Amino acid sequence: MPHNKKGKVYLVGAGPGNPGLLTIKAKECLSRADVIIYDSLANRIFLEYADTDAELIYVGKKGGNHTMLQNDINSLIVDRARKGHFVVRLKGGDPFIFGRGGEEALELIEAGINFEVVPGITSAIAVPAYAGIPLTHRDYTSTVAFITGHEDPQKEKSDISWEKLATGVGTLVFLMGVGNLPHIAERLMRHGRTPDTPVAVIRSGTVSEQKTITGTLKDIARLSREGGITPPAIIVVGDVIRLHEKLNWFETRQLFAKRILVTRAREQASGFLSALAELGAECIEFPTIEVVPPESWDAIDRAIKAIESFKWLLFTSVNGVQYFLKRLEALGKDVRDLKGIKIGAIGPKTAEIWHGLGIKPDLIPGEYRAEAVIESFKKLGIKGTNILLPRAASAREILPEELRKMG
């Protein structure tokens, strides 16, 4: 793709980790990028949107451990842009909410490099929402503040106005603060927040490992410790926590916290994955089969050329139908050449393809397996009938064997 002399940088927010919460603009940038410079993302699946030729550079940042210092990251971004590249600086959450995106933007301005900011859904709002906690509610509060929980409690003077925050804002959201939870609770109580104020600590929000612990300022540090809460976690303080039990929609789904390995062929797994994810499961794609054409089409081509000699066409999968139709077309024929031939389809998806062509299959067994087809044919009487069975080479032999026994 053509590049400007100095290239361009996109500071892109990846959101809180749930794959569905990446913005359309962010996905578009990832697919077009020449270079992607990324942190320790909550979900590595986002990198799959990158072009196969894109340069992927990991610059770390997780739990205080830095693979690369911020100044070095800034230099790297500038260097790649000056080489004329389309650079994506991919950051978890939102670039401008405790993401140091502002520092990177100032560096780009100083270097004279064009840039855009692609906001991400910050965990500050997404994680409470996934825990059933609205940050504002007309019956509870109309004010909310986002605060870093990462401030060193040993500092002589805090940069946070605790005396104003403690009683001046209804809902307080602390990011990266689970390690400082006892200090945060103590500071808020010391400056006037009642010890009975509800608090929620939410770990790994928006993904299947999400865990929410609720308590009050006086006991949340103990409850969080006993519950094994570790980073990454968000702390929410305020009366809106009282809505958690009623509105907890995410953690109550049927398959929540279940991890499911999906072994279907990749091109056919998407609908199944979506259905499982909708029920709360974390799905891992692990295709154990790949559908590929046979080494030779001779056998199916011979059958298609003599298609009028068959009384039945029997399909056991969507793949069988698709490959059969491709060969039909390759040999200069179409569905009109199937006139008078009965069609059997195992399973609704297999039948659906024929319905899409305006053809109603003559046989759709109630069960989607070979044994059900055999029972159906027993009732039809097929002795002396030619049946064409386009299917996978690795399929079970029970179907052709039993059909042969019937003559």
Side-chain angles (χ1 to χ4, degrees):
M1 61 185 291
H3 299 294
N4 297 328
K5 191 176 180 183
K6 290 187 180 178
K8 188 169 182 179
V9 175
Y10 289 79
L11 302 173
V12 177
N18 186 300
L21 298 181
L22 184 77
T23 66
I24 294 170
K25 179 70 181 274
K27 186 178 178 183
E28 179 188 299
C29 286
L30 288 169
S31 68
R32 293 175 57 205
D34 300 310
V35 182
I36 298 173
I37 299 168
Y38 67 99
D39 287 345
S40 180
L41 298 172
N43 205 316
R44 293 289 293 270
I45 197 171
F46 301 139
L47 297 177
E48 292 183 10
Y49 300 133
D51 187 87
T52 51
D53 295 328
E55 181 184 13
L56 306 180
I57 306 172
Y58 173 61
V59 293
K61 290 189 171 185
K62 186 175 185 180
N65 296 317
H66 295 249
T67 299
M68 192 178 287
L69 296 173
Q70 186 61 50
N71 284 343
D72 295 331
I73 294 171
N74 295 346
S75 300
L76 177 65
I77 297 168
V78 169
D79 172 70
R80 290 300 190 273
R82 279 185 171 150
K83 288 176 178 173
H85 293 310
F86 183 123
V87 181
V88 165
R89 171 69 175 110
L90 188 64
K91 310 166 81 68
D94 177 85
F96 280 7
I97 301 286
F98 303 122
R100 303 191 76 170
E103 295 172 45
E104 291 169 353
L106 288 170
E107 193 81 16
L108 293 169
I109 289 286
E110 197 171 312
I113 292 168
N114 287 333
F115 74 94
E116 282 188 31
V117 179
V118 181
I121 300 175
T122 172
S123 56
I125 59 170
V127 171
Y130 268 62
I133 300 168
L135 296 183
T136 63
H137 188 286
R138 65 194 309 172
D139 295 336
Y140 293 91
T141 184
S142 298
T143 55
V144 61
F146 302 146
I147 310 113
T148 177
H150 208 48
E151 192 180 51
D152 184 355
Q154 305 304 319
K155 278 169 68 173
E156 280 188 31
K157 190 175 187 306
S158 173
D159 293 328
I160 299 169
S161 299
W162 290 100
E163 68 284 357
K164 294 175 182 176
L165 267 179
T167 56
V169 180
T171 304
L172 304 175
V173 182
F174 291 88
L175 280 75
M176 307 166 291
V178 69
N180 281 340
L181 184 51
H183 166 74
I184 291 167
E186 184 274 326
R187 281 284 181 103
L188 291 173
M189 289 187 287
R190 190 201 312 168
H191 289 285
R193 198 79 172 218
T194 168
D196 292 324
T197 302
V199 184
V201 183
I202 310 148
R203 185 186 187 281
S204 298
T206 78
V207 295
S208 64
E209 290 93 355
Q210 178 174 307
K211 182 177 182 180
T212 305
I213 286 184
T214 58
T216 61
L217 279 176
K218 66 176 183 285
D219 63 15
I220 191 63
R222 174 181 58 81
L223 293 171
S224 179
R225 187 175 61 253
E226 290 172 356
I229 297 292
T230 55
I234 281 179
I235 303 159
V236 186
V237 179
D239 288 339
V240 289
I241 307 301
R242 301 184 198 282
L243 293 165
H244 162 70
E245 202 169 324
K246 277 187 181 176
L247 302 183
N248 186 15
W249 61 274
F250 184 62
E251 294 173 39
T252 54
R253 297 189 297 176
Q254 295 102 307
L255 296 180
F256 178 73
K258 298 284 191 296
R259 183 173 287 160
I260 298 176
L261 202 64
V262 178
T263 59
R264 298 187 79 171
R266 178 163 274 122
E267 62 273 13
Q268 293 173 340
S270 58
F272 189 45
L273 288 167
S274 298
L276 290 172
E278 193 71 22
L279 294 171
E282 179 195 359
C283 298
I284 298 170
E285 252 190 283
F286 192 82
T288 53
I289 62 167
E290 184 182 5
V291 180
V292 294
E295 289 181 9
S296 168
W297 290 108
D298 289 351
I300 190 71
D301 286 355
R302 280 197 305 272
I304 289 173
K305 285 172 184 173
I307 197 70
E308 66 282 348
S309 67
F310 293 95
K311 190 170 181 182
W312 276 94
L313 272 173
L314 183 55
F315 296 94
T316 59
S317 71
V318 168
N319 295 316
V321 180
Q322 289 173 337
Y323 277 110
F324 174 79
L325 292 174
K326 281 179 185 174
R327 292 315 297 168
L328 197 68
E329 184 181 355
L331 294 171
K333 297 178 181 288
D334 60 32
V335 290
R336 289 173 297 184
D337 292 287
L338 307 181
K339 184 175 181 290
I341 303 172
K342 288 185 166 62
I343 291 172
I346 297 183
K349 291 289 182 187
T350 308
E352 204 174 277
I353 295 186
W354 291 108
H355 285 137
L357 296 169
I359 296 171
K360 184 179 177 183
D362 301 273
L363 175 67
I364 306 174
E367 290 181 67
Y368 317 141
R369 58 199 191 100
E371 286 80 358
V373 180
I374 293 160
E375 287 305 312
S376 300
F377 273 116
K378 278 180 181 176
K379 295 170 188 172
L380 293 170
I382 55 165
K383 193 169 182 180
T385 298
N386 279 351
I387 298 174
L388 180 57
L389 180 57
R391 62 181 196 142
S394 58
R396 292 192 301 156
E397 289 303 312
I398 183 171
L399 186 53
E401 283 175 1
E402 291 299 319
L403 289 173
R404 286 190 194 101
K405 285 178 187 175
M406 286 184 244

